Amino acid sequence: MTNIAFPYLSIPDNLITKSHWIQAGSTSEAKTLIDNWDYQKDVRLIRTVRLSFSEIAEHLSIPEDELRLKICIQYGTGQGRLPRLWLGITSYDVDSTNQEVQPELFISGSKLSSRVFIETSVVLAAVPGNPGPLSPVNFGNIVWNESFDIKLEPDDSLFPVEAISFNSMFRGKLFQYAPWYLQFEPGSPQRDISNAVRLYINTDNSDFFESFIKKDSHIIQSVMASVIGQIVYYTIANNSFVDDKTQYGENTVGSYVLYWVEQYFPQSSIRNIRDMTELLDPGAFWATIYANMDKGLY
Amino acid sequence: MAIVTLLPRLDSGTVKALTDQYLKEGIPDDFISNDTVKYASSGGSRITDHTLRSIRNSVLAVCTKYGFPNGFSKSDRGYLESELAAVFSKAFSGSTADALRNDCWAFIATVLLPDVVSWRFSGIKRERFEGGIRNAFQRIYMRSISLDRGPSHDDRWGLIRDLSEDALVQITERPSIGANPVIARNVAEGWLRAIKLYGSNSMESRMRNAIIKLRINNVMQLFPFLSSEEQKKIVDNVFKS
């Protein structure tokens, strides 16, 4: 179940028994990355979902003989954290005499790109005649849901990283001897972050470079804090940047900046943080970013 | 099983290098194969240069009607993009999975049709070449998926032609709306009904409010599960006030 507070009674997890999604013909849980997948390999998945119908009726405060539920499976695909395209939906009836279903998905490999997303939802399939005051009452009300996704191909790096010789690439630049350089063009929060950012690591600085590729935790913490700090700092410095998630699409610089702000500076508005960086305590801004890198929150 | 046609992929570093080169030396006026492109290593047959050139020619034929390589009138936006949607939908019908990838559209904009990108967006704006929702052609292709009325409809691409750019952005740049063709088409058809009822002056703010209300409703109600009458009723309601 996701962390959604529905404005009506919903089904607690303990009243639904479900197996993992498994690949048809297998007995083990579908992995988050299918090895050697390509477009010629179709994806067949199956699971079992069992509802404790009487207890659910009681919990939803709907008379059992009036309760009609369906289990709906939506599936989608595409790069990123959310599907680019929802491909379809199937549904299964459940009632007091048929409390267990085995949803099965067959998706042609030629339709799939990078990931498969699957959402299992239990929805109200009829308007109850005598609901309780807090019962769900609308046809299609979601009373339980769960998301699952399978990576078909490794994602491209969030931050494109390139190891190069600064003596060759940036000869004569003021930062020729820097350990790393973040190429970032501020002012375009609508751009896809993988296009707007490129991190160059200086191979001429062999000690630093070796530590970086060995993923030394202090080095990674410093680099990521600098990268994320710069992106947040310069993006929010622009007064046209707004504190509104609906304005920035999936994987854009704007959506990531708002995500990081929410994670690292809970309950602070963009304006609060802008004031912090410009006037009040700029050191606290950077220290907070560094502190969160230590928690692995990037 | 149908053979999947694999599309060329261009990484973001090469997009940057090529657009830097275009800024210095000007845009090439033809398709020049690029050695840095990659393909999926297996799973289908690579698209041929002949087919790529044929796609380029189809795009040029549409764009020439609307002024290419000379001026472009923004009032032609809907007509141009609805016709390009038809071209892309047909051209990439055997590559639907690759056509969801950013790096494939980076190739199409940066290598196959850079002169068209520069014409359509008045110069070299990097975000129009990079893969993503702002790519000059990927945005049209994504609209063609979300807003396709179906091959039997006598005005199949009319939603792309008739909706304002602001309305299209509100639909296709919101993943919770644009990624689901059932929801996207309903909102687009609702927008057309709303503009007749309420007039064009209030439509930008009305559309923004409608999208917010619909996204909240979608958390509680499984929209694709509803009947088409119920979907229409919900959409008309969110456009009120």
Side-chain angles (χ1 to χ4, degrees):
Chain A
M1 188 75 176
T2 51
N3 297 322
I4 295 168
F6 292 108
Y8 48 73
L9 295 168
S10 57
I11 305 176
D13 278 344
N14 65 329
L15 299 185
I16 297 184
T17 311
K18 70 275 181 194
S19 71
H20 294 295
W21 284 102
I22 58 170
Q23 291 187 66
S26 164
T27 52
S28 54
E29 180 183 1
K31 289 187 289 183
T32 54
L33 182 64
I34 293 181
D35 295 331
N36 302 317
W37 177 85
D38 69 26
Y39 297 140
Q40 296 298 316
K41 291 182 183 145
D42 302 328
V43 172
R44 292 170 188 269
L45 298 166
I46 193 165
R47 78 183 311 189
T48 302
V49 182
R50 181 180 175 79
L51 307 188
S52 303
F53 206 80
S54 300
E55 288 96 326
I56 286 172
E58 188 179 346
H59 192 86
L60 296 180
S61 196
I62 293 174
E64 190 173 342
D65 60 347
E66 292 179 9
L67 181 60
R68 302 282 180 278
L69 297 173
K70 282 201 184 218
I71 293 177
C72 297
I73 311 292
Q74 279 197 104
Y75 50 99
T77 192
Q79 288 175 303
R81 288 177 298 155
L82 293 172
R84 288 273 165 95
L85 181 64
W86 286 105
L87 295 165
I89 181 169
T90 57
S91 64
Y92 302 81
D93 289 313
V94 276
D95 57 34
S96 55
T97 60
N98 179 33
Q99 303 190 27
E100 183 173 303
V101 295
Q102 281 202 318
E104 190 170 356
L105 275 183
F106 169 81
I107 314 173
S108 166
S110 65
K111 303 282 183 203
L112 293 174
S113 181
S114 301
R115 276 178 188 245
V116 184
F117 295 84
I118 305 169
E119 269 197 17
T120 306
S121 306
V122 179
V123 303
L124 206 61
V127 175
N130 298 286
L134 294 176
S135 302
V137 291
N138 292 321
F139 182 79
N141 268 158
I142 298 165
V143 288
W144 183 87
N145 70 355
E146 179 199 57
S147 300
F148 179 69
D149 69 271
I150 302 173
K151 266 190 203 176
L152 300 170
E153 299 171 276
D155 281 338
D156 296 333
S157 301
L158 175 59
F159 298 107
V161 178
E162 197 169 319
I164 56 165
S165 162
F166 280 28
N167 287 336
S168 303
M169 183 86 169
F170 301 123
R171 177 169 294 279
K173 298 266 188 192
L174 293 171
F175 58 85
Q176 180 182 339
Y177 302 108
W180 75 87
Y181 161 56
L182 178 72
Q183 186 173 66
F184 169 53
E185 296 167 30
S188 301
Q190 301 285 5
R191 285 179 73 188
D192 192 291
I193 197 163
S194 63
N195 291 324
V197 171
R198 195 164 192 84
L199 177 63
Y200 292 97
I201 305 295
N202 189 354
T203 56
D204 304 323
N205 188 334
S206 54
D207 288 347
F208 174 80
F209 178 65
E210 290 296 320
S211 301
F212 184 86
I213 59 172
K214 285 178 185 164
K215 298 189 177 172
D216 176 284
S217 60
H218 296 296
I219 294 288
I220 297 292
Q221 180 185 10
S222 298
V223 175
M224 290 311 297
S226 170
V227 165
I228 292 176
Q230 287 184 60
I231 296 170
V232 172
Y233 180 90
Y234 291 109
T235 301
I236 68 172
N238 189 329
N239 283 328
S240 65
F241 184 73
V242 290
D243 201 346
D244 178 359
K245 285 180 188 169
T246 68
Q247 295 304 309
Y248 304 105
E250 177 73 3
N251 291 333
T252 57
V253 172
S255 72
Y256 271 93
V257 167
L258 289 177
Y259 169 76
W260 287 324
V261 164
E262 189 178 309
Q263 296 294 312
Y264 308 158
F265 302 93
Q267 294 164 7
S268 297
S269 67
I270 292 294
R271 184 173 179 163
N272 293 151
I273 299 165
R274 204 178 277 145
D275 288 347
M276 179 196 282
T277 58
E278 289 174 357
L279 304 165
L280 301 174
D281 195 353
F285 167 81
W286 290 100
T288 304
I289 298 271
Y290 272 78
N292 281 283
M293 295 308 102
D294 196 30
K295 292 187 212 162
L297 270 178
Y298 47 87
Chain B
M1 179 179 281
I3 297 292
V4 172
T5 304
L6 303 176
L7 301 180
R9 302 172 178 181
L10 196 70
D11 68 77
S12 57
T14 309
V15 173
K16 183 175 185 315
L18 284 173
T19 48
D20 283 347
Q21 183 186 323
Y22 298 163
L23 281 165
K24 282 182 196 158
E25 300 169 12
I27 289 266
D29 57 5
D30 197 2
F31 158 45
I32 301 165
S33 296
N34 189 295
D35 292 338
T36 60
V37 299
K38 293 175 186 165
Y39 289 83
S41 50
S42 62
S45 302
R46 294 182 180 190
I47 196 168
T48 62
D49 273 8
H50 175 76
T51 306
L52 286 170
R53 184 162 290 285
S54 163
I55 293 168
R56 175 176 163 82
N57 289 339
S58 300
V59 170
L60 289 182
V62 171
C63 294
T64 303
K65 280 169 62 181
Y66 296 102
F68 178 84
N70 302 312
F72 171 69
S73 166
K74 285 188 177 171
S75 61
D76 288 335
R77 197 248 349 129
Y79 293 96
L80 171 74
E81 295 191 353
S82 60
E83 291 185 41
L84 289 180
V87 170
F88 292 141
S89 176
K90 187 176 172 192
F92 300 124
S93 61
S95 315
T96 52
D98 261 355
L100 291 176
R101 294 181 61 96
N102 291 350
D103 47 8
C104 291
W105 288 100
F107 168 85
I108 290 164
T110 312
V111 175
L112 187 64
L113 292 158
D115 44 350
V116 177
V117 180
S118 171
W119 164 74
R120 170 64 183 84
F121 291 100
S122 309
I124 299 169
K125 299 183 172 71
R126 192 166 284 140
E127 65 177 359
R128 301 302 183 180
F129 292 88
E130 295 165 341
I133 53 170
R134 293 294 172 101
N135 177 284
F137 305 117
Q138 187 173 357
R139 54 195 274 288
I140 298 173
Y141 180 73
M142 294 311 294
R143 290 171 186 186
S144 81
I145 293 176
S146 301
L147 302 173
D148 181 359
R149 282 167 159 163
S152 60
H153 197 286
D154 60 7
D155 189 14
R156 181 173 179 178
W157 307 107
L159 293 173
I160 297 173
R161 183 192 60 231
D162 293 341
L163 264 70
S164 69
E165 177 62 17
D166 178 76
L168 289 166
V169 166
Q170 290 299 320
I171 293 170
T172 55
E173 293 191 8
R174 306 282 170 266
S176 60
I177 304 289
N180 195 321
V182 175
I183 303 175
R185 276 196 303 275
N186 264 284
V187 174
E189 300 285 6
W191 188 92
L192 290 177
R193 291 192 296 276
I195 198 170
K196 283 182 189 158
L197 275 175
Y198 308 115
S200 59
N201 286 346
S202 67
M203 281 310 289
E204 284 199 10
S205 59
R206 194 176 288 277
M207 181 66 167
R208 279 172 172 70
N209 287 334
I211 293 290
I212 291 168
K213 288 180 200 166
L214 194 60
R215 292 172 75 217
I216 293 168
N217 190 71
N218 287 351
V219 172
M220 296 181 286
Q221 204 167 18
L222 195 61
F223 192 89
F225 175 69
L226 307 177
S227 68
S228 52
E229 291 76 22
E230 288 162 325
Q231 291 171 344
K232 181 170 178 280
K233 191 174 162 190
I234 287 172
V235 168
D236 286 342
N237 268 335
V238 297
F239 275 107
K240 282 182 187 166
S241 75

